[in-house]
Amino acid sequence: MAFLLVHGWLMYVGVVLIPERAFWDLGLYRYWMYLGIHDGQWPVLSGSWVYPAGAVVPMLVAGVGGVTAGSGYMWAWSLMVTALDAAALGVLLHAPRIARPVGAQDHPRGHHLHEPRTTAGAWWWIGFLLLLGPIAMGRLDAVVAPVVVVALAVTLRHPKVSSALLTAAAWVKVAPGALLLAVVVAVRRPWRDVVVPAALVSIGILAAVAVGGGTSHVASFLLEQGERGLQVESPGATPWLVAGLWSDDVVRWLNEPIVTWEIRGPGTVVAADVLGTLFPLGLVAAGGLLWWCRRRAGEGFWTDPVAQRELVVRGAMLLTLTMLVLNKVGSPQYMGWLAPPVAVALALRLPGWRTTAWWTLGVAAATQVVFPWGYDEVLNAGPGVTLVLAARNVALVVLTVVTVRALLRQHVARPDTPAAEPEPTVDVEAPVA
């Protein structure tokens, strides 16, 4: 019931209350599908596009609600996202129980103790969507997030499925592709279980684009992103954002071709260029850290299901935060990327996620204050919401530090030895529920 109430509220806000502000992008999706259906001008097939080719699929599915004037497209999109979120919720409620190795003297009937299932991850997921607001429904990222939830939840039992899902999601919105790094380091046969499925999905999509005659534009989304400046909401823009409260040298500027508000001032061009360089380097560094953690664990890693899942999920969180902190774009819907690792970690009862869970909820709430409700104040250099946005960006950096520390402190049970009991953590299920 809570799930339906939350999604009903998000639909009401986005479709009825403030559609021009909350669900503006859906009008653009509808327009693209109108051009494709009526004029044969399909994104990617007919020219360059800001999104990967797979993004056409959810946009076209929502077209059943109509691609002409009216709110039918928005309703269809909202129902599609609700169905995907429901699937993710079902996975969180039935997440596989972890067999935690224990000493024979503590558990005489075997050497593994199964953790009971919990509803904490499901409740947290619902709460996060409510706090993030209509942006959790009215963007492409809303389609991708539940797919990533499923992929992370099944990674170790079905790594091929996880790889295929993450790759398919990356062809809708690029970010999930980076999470494959966490999967690669955590499975025994990365080439067979991760690389091959990802390659097969990509080949299938590329073949479909080639049949439609769009091969020359299939990578255009990479070039479109490279032309962006320093977006107002990005963590990298925070110093100029705050300085703009009293300095006339800092201005908010609308990049009309891509309809994005950027910040301009002394040093912003250099900062955007630096972030453009640091972004891929940061992902490589994050992947290197995950590889090092896996190597440090030794052979005990393969007999400790808690450590395996922790590396995958915490690694996904680190990669996600890296993409947020070092991103010169930083659109508000990107905060939805944080939800899948946290929800899955809570559903799997992984230890030590309490701080991350609460901080992430705070990030979601602050993001909704900024967009859609207080965005005009940010653009007009209003101090209240501007400082909320700055605090949100600082919280992302804090979350990154917390995540790195957790990875460095990860305990791995050695083979043929009793596993140390995890430190007690406060159960997040009761307060969230």
Side-chain angles (χ1 to χ4, degrees), residues 265-291:
T268 54
V269 175
V270 174
D273 292 339
V274 169
L275 287 174
T277 302
L278 290 179
F279 185 85
L281 294 178
L283 289 177
V284 171
L289 175 62
L290 298 181
W291 177 84

mmCIF file of all heavy atoms in Angstrom, residues 265-291:
data_model
loop_
_atom_site.group_PDB
_atom_site.id
_atom_site.type_symbol
_atom_site.label_atom_id
_atom_site.label_comp_id
_atom_site.label_asym_id
_atom_site.label_seq_id
_atom_site.Cartn_x
_atom_site.Cartn_y
_atom_site.Cartn_z
ATOM 1 N N GLY A 265 32.068 31.835 -14.472
ATOM 2 C CA GLY A 265 32.812 32.763 -13.640
ATOM 3 C C GLY A 265 34.298 32.504 -13.799
ATOM 4 O O GLY A 265 34.702 31.626 -14.574
ATOM 5 N N PRO A 266 35.118 33.216 -13.086
ATOM 6 C CA PRO A 266 36.564 33.019 -13.187
ATOM 7 C C PRO A 266 36.964 31.578 -12.845
ATOM 8 O O PRO A 266 36.713 31.095 -11.737
ATOM 9 C CB PRO A 266 37.130 34.001 -12.152
ATOM 10 C CG PRO A 266 36.058 35.031 -11.977
ATOM 11 C CD PRO A 266 34.776 34.305 -12.143
ATOM 12 N N GLY A 267 37.525 30.875 -13.804
ATOM 13 C CA GLY A 267 38.007 29.519 -13.555
ATOM 14 C C GLY A 267 37.026 28.402 -13.849
ATOM 15 O O GLY A 267 37.387 27.225 -13.756
ATOM 16 N N THR A 268 35.794 28.702 -14.229
ATOM 17 C CA THR A 268 34.810 27.636 -14.433
ATOM 18 C C THR A 268 35.125 26.795 -15.670
ATOM 19 O O THR A 268 34.875 25.585 -15.676
ATOM 20 C CB THR A 268 33.389 28.217 -14.558
ATOM 21 O OG1 THR A 268 33.365 29.211 -15.594
ATOM 22 C CG2 THR A 268 32.945 28.842 -13.255
ATOM 23 N N VAL A 269 35.657 27.419 -16.705
ATOM 24 C CA VAL A 269 36.004 26.670 -17.915
ATOM 25 C C VAL A 269 37.126 25.676 -17.609
ATOM 26 O O VAL A 269 37.080 24.507 -18.013
ATOM 27 C CB VAL A 269 36.416 27.616 -19.056
ATOM 28 C CG1 VAL A 269 36.900 26.814 -20.261
ATOM 29 C CG2 VAL A 269 35.246 28.511 -19.449
ATOM 30 N N VAL A 270 38.123 26.143 -16.852
ATOM 31 C CA VAL A 270 39.226 25.260 -16.464
ATOM 32 C C VAL A 270 38.716 24.132 -15.590
ATOM 33 O O VAL A 270 39.107 22.964 -15.750
ATOM 34 C CB VAL A 270 40.320 26.063 -15.729
ATOM 35 C CG1 VAL A 270 41.407 25.124 -15.195
ATOM 36 C CG2 VAL A 270 40.934 27.098 -16.653
ATOM 37 N N ALA A 271 37.820 24.455 -14.649
ATOM 38 C CA ALA A 271 37.272 23.431 -13.761
ATOM 39 C C ALA A 271 36.522 22.368 -14.547
ATOM 40 O O ALA A 271 36.633 21.169 -14.261
ATOM 41 C CB ALA A 271 36.345 24.076 -12.730
ATOM 42 N N ALA A 272 35.733 22.791 -15.541
ATOM 43 C CA ALA A 272 35.004 21.833 -16.366
ATOM 44 C C ALA A 272 35.964 20.927 -17.127
ATOM 45 O O ALA A 272 35.745 19.710 -17.231
ATOM 46 C CB ALA A 272 34.085 22.567 -17.340
ATOM 47 N N ASP A 273 37.046 21.506 -17.653
ATOM 48 C CA ASP A 273 38.034 20.706 -18.377
ATOM 49 C C ASP A 273 38.740 19.722 -17.443
ATOM 50 O O ASP A 273 38.991 18.564 -17.810
ATOM 51 C CB ASP A 273 39.063 21.614 -19.044
ATOM 52 C CG ASP A 273 38.460 22.440 -20.182
ATOM 53 O OD1 ASP A 273 37.403 22.030 -20.693
ATOM 54 O OD2 ASP A 273 39.048 23.482 -20.534
ATOM 55 N N VAL A 274 39.067 20.177 -16.238
ATOM 56 C CA VAL A 274 39.736 19.304 -15.265
ATOM 57 C C VAL A 274 38.834 18.142 -14.876
ATOM 58 O O VAL A 274 39.273 16.986 -14.801
ATOM 59 C CB VAL A 274 40.159 20.108 -14.019
ATOM 60 C CG1 VAL A 274 40.616 19.179 -12.899
ATOM 61 C CG2 VAL A 274 41.260 21.089 -14.374
ATOM 62 N N LEU A 275 37.557 18.439 -14.621
ATOM 63 C CA LEU A 275 36.622 17.370 -14.272
ATOM 64 C C LEU A 275 36.450 16.391 -15.432
ATOM 65 O O LEU A 275 36.306 15.186 -15.220
ATOM 66 C CB LEU A 275 35.269 17.967 -13.882
ATOM 67 C CG LEU A 275 35.220 18.665 -12.522
ATOM 68 C CD1 LEU A 275 33.866 19.338 -12.319
ATOM 69 C CD2 LEU A 275 35.476 17.671 -11.394
ATOM 70 N N GLY A 276 36.455 16.918 -16.656
ATOM 71 C CA GLY A 276 36.358 16.035 -17.811
ATOM 72 C C GLY A 276 37.510 15.056 -17.876
ATOM 73 O O GLY A 276 37.351 13.918 -18.347
ATOM 74 N N THR A 277 38.680 15.472 -17.392
ATOM 75 C CA THR A 277 39.844 14.581 -17.347
ATOM 76 C C THR A 277 39.807 13.655 -16.138
ATOM 77 O O THR A 277 40.123 12.463 -16.225
ATOM 78 C CB THR A 277 41.142 15.404 -17.316
ATOM 79 O OG1 THR A 277 41.195 16.242 -18.473
ATOM 80 C CG2 THR A 277 42.366 14.504 -17.298
ATOM 81 N N LEU A 278 39.396 14.202 -14.985
ATOM 82 C CA LEU A 278 39.380 13.415 -13.755
ATOM 83 C C LEU A 278 38.300 12.342 -13.754
ATOM 84 O O LEU A 278 38.448 11.315 -13.066
ATOM 85 C CB LEU A 278 39.177 14.335 -12.550
ATOM 86 C CG LEU A 278 40.336 15.253 -12.177
ATOM 87 C CD1 LEU A 278 39.961 16.117 -10.979
ATOM 88 C CD2 LEU A 278 41.587 14.428 -11.865
ATOM 89 N N PHE A 279 37.229 12.571 -14.488
ATOM 90 C CA PHE A 279 36.115 11.623 -14.471
ATOM 91 C C PHE A 279 36.566 10.206 -14.857
ATOM 92 O O PHE A 279 36.369 9.254 -14.083
ATOM 93 C CB PHE A 279 34.999 12.122 -15.394
ATOM 94 C CG PHE A 279 33.755 11.292 -15.358
ATOM 95 C CD1 PHE A 279 32.789 11.517 -14.395
ATOM 96 C CD2 PHE A 279 33.542 10.292 -16.285
ATOM 97 C CE1 PHE A 279 31.626 10.748 -14.356
ATOM 98 C CE2 PHE A 279 32.397 9.518 -16.256
ATOM 99 C CZ PHE A 279 31.436 9.749 -15.287
ATOM 100 N N PRO A 280 37.160 9.995 -16.033
ATOM 101 C CA PRO A 280 37.597 8.631 -16.367
ATOM 102 C C PRO A 280 38.729 8.149 -15.468
ATOM 103 O O PRO A 280 38.781 6.951 -15.127
ATOM 104 C CB PRO A 280 38.047 8.748 -17.823
ATOM 105 C CG PRO A 280 38.375 10.180 -18.028
ATOM 106 C CD PRO A 280 37.435 10.938 -17.145
ATOM 107 N N LEU A 281 39.631 9.060 -15.071
ATOM 108 C CA LEU A 281 40.719 8.651 -14.188
ATOM 109 C C LEU A 281 40.188 8.207 -12.822
ATOM 110 O O LEU A 281 40.708 7.253 -12.218
ATOM 111 C CB LEU A 281 41.709 9.805 -14.010
ATOM 112 C CG LEU A 281 42.492 10.236 -15.259
ATOM 113 C CD1 LEU A 281 43.401 11.413 -14.931
ATOM 114 C CD2 LEU A 281 43.302 9.067 -15.814
ATOM 115 N N GLY A 282 39.153 8.881 -12.347
ATOM 116 C CA GLY A 282 38.547 8.503 -11.077
ATOM 117 C C GLY A 282 37.926 7.123 -11.135
ATOM 118 O O GLY A 282 38.026 6.328 -10.175
ATOM 119 N N LEU A 283 37.266 6.811 -12.253
ATOM 120 C CA LEU A 283 36.674 5.479 -12.399
ATOM 121 C C LEU A 283 37.755 4.405 -12.443
ATOM 122 O O LEU A 283 37.600 3.321 -11.865
ATOM 123 C CB LEU A 283 35.819 5.429 -13.660
ATOM 124 C CG LEU A 283 34.510 6.218 -13.612
ATOM 125 C CD1 LEU A 283 33.795 6.149 -14.957
ATOM 126 C CD2 LEU A 283 33.596 5.677 -12.511
ATOM 127 N N VAL A 284 38.865 4.707 -13.127
ATOM 128 C CA VAL A 284 39.977 3.748 -13.170
ATOM 129 C C VAL A 284 40.545 3.548 -11.769
ATOM 130 O O VAL A 284 40.831 2.409 -11.357
ATOM 131 C CB VAL A 284 41.072 4.249 -14.131
ATOM 132 C CG1 VAL A 284 42.327 3.377 -14.009
ATOM 133 C CG2 VAL A 284 40.568 4.243 -15.564
ATOM 134 N N ALA A 285 40.693 4.642 -11.009
ATOM 135 C CA ALA A 285 41.211 4.535 -9.648
ATOM 136 C C ALA A 285 40.265 3.732 -8.757
ATOM 137 O O ALA A 285 40.699 2.902 -7.944
ATOM 138 C CB ALA A 285 41.434 5.932 -9.067
ATOM 139 N N ALA A 286 38.956 3.964 -8.907
ATOM 140 C CA ALA A 286 37.980 3.215 -8.116
ATOM 141 C C ALA A 286 38.039 1.734 -8.457
ATOM 142 O O ALA A 286 38.000 0.870 -7.564
ATOM 143 C CB ALA A 286 36.574 3.764 -8.358
ATOM 144 N N GLY A 287 38.135 1.426 -9.750
ATOM 145 C CA GLY A 287 38.264 0.027 -10.154
ATOM 146 C C GLY A 287 39.540 -0.591 -9.619
ATOM 147 O O GLY A 287 39.548 -1.768 -9.195
ATOM 148 N N GLY A 288 40.641 0.185 -9.605
ATOM 149 C CA GLY A 288 41.896 -0.316 -9.059
ATOM 150 C C GLY A 288 41.793 -0.607 -7.571
ATOM 151 O O GLY A 288 42.341 -1.609 -7.081
ATOM 152 N N LEU A 289 41.073 0.246 -6.840
ATOM 153 C CA LEU A 289 40.882 0.006 -5.412
ATOM 154 C C LEU A 289 40.091 -1.276 -5.173
ATOM 155 O O LEU A 289 40.420 -2.066 -4.279
ATOM 156 C CB LEU A 289 40.167 1.199 -4.780
ATOM 157 C CG LEU A 289 39.794 1.041 -3.294
ATOM 158 C CD1 LEU A 289 41.044 0.852 -2.442
ATOM 159 C CD2 LEU A 289 38.998 2.254 -2.810
ATOM 160 N N LEU A 290 39.052 -1.496 -5.959
ATOM 161 C CA LEU A 290 38.264 -2.716 -5.809
ATOM 162 C C LEU A 290 39.108 -3.948 -6.114
ATOM 163 O O LEU A 290 39.016 -4.965 -5.411
ATOM 164 C CB LEU A 290 37.047 -2.670 -6.731
ATOM 165 C CG LEU A 290 36.040 -1.541 -6.463
ATOM 166 C CD1 LEU A 290 34.871 -1.625 -7.438
ATOM 167 C CD2 LEU A 290 35.543 -1.595 -5.030
ATOM 168 N N TRP A 291 39.926 -3.852 -7.135
ATOM 169 C CA TRP A 291 40.813 -4.973 -7.465
ATOM 170 C C TRP A 291 41.779 -5.231 -6.327
ATOM 171 O O TRP A 291 42.043 -6.382 -5.954
ATOM 172 C CB TRP A 291 41.567 -4.670 -8.757
ATOM 173 C CG TRP A 291 42.554 -5.735 -9.141
ATOM 174 C CD1 TRP A 291 42.314 -6.892 -9.818
ATOM 175 C CD2 TRP A 291 43.958 -5.723 -8.851
ATOM 176 N NE1 TRP A 291 43.469 -7.621 -9.976
ATOM 177 C CE2 TRP A 291 44.502 -6.924 -9.392
ATOM 178 C CE3 TRP A 291 44.804 -4.835 -8.202
ATOM 179 C CZ2 TRP A 291 45.847 -7.242 -9.288
ATOM 180 C CZ3 TRP A 291 46.149 -5.155 -8.097
ATOM 181 C CH2 TRP A 291 46.660 -6.337 -8.643
#
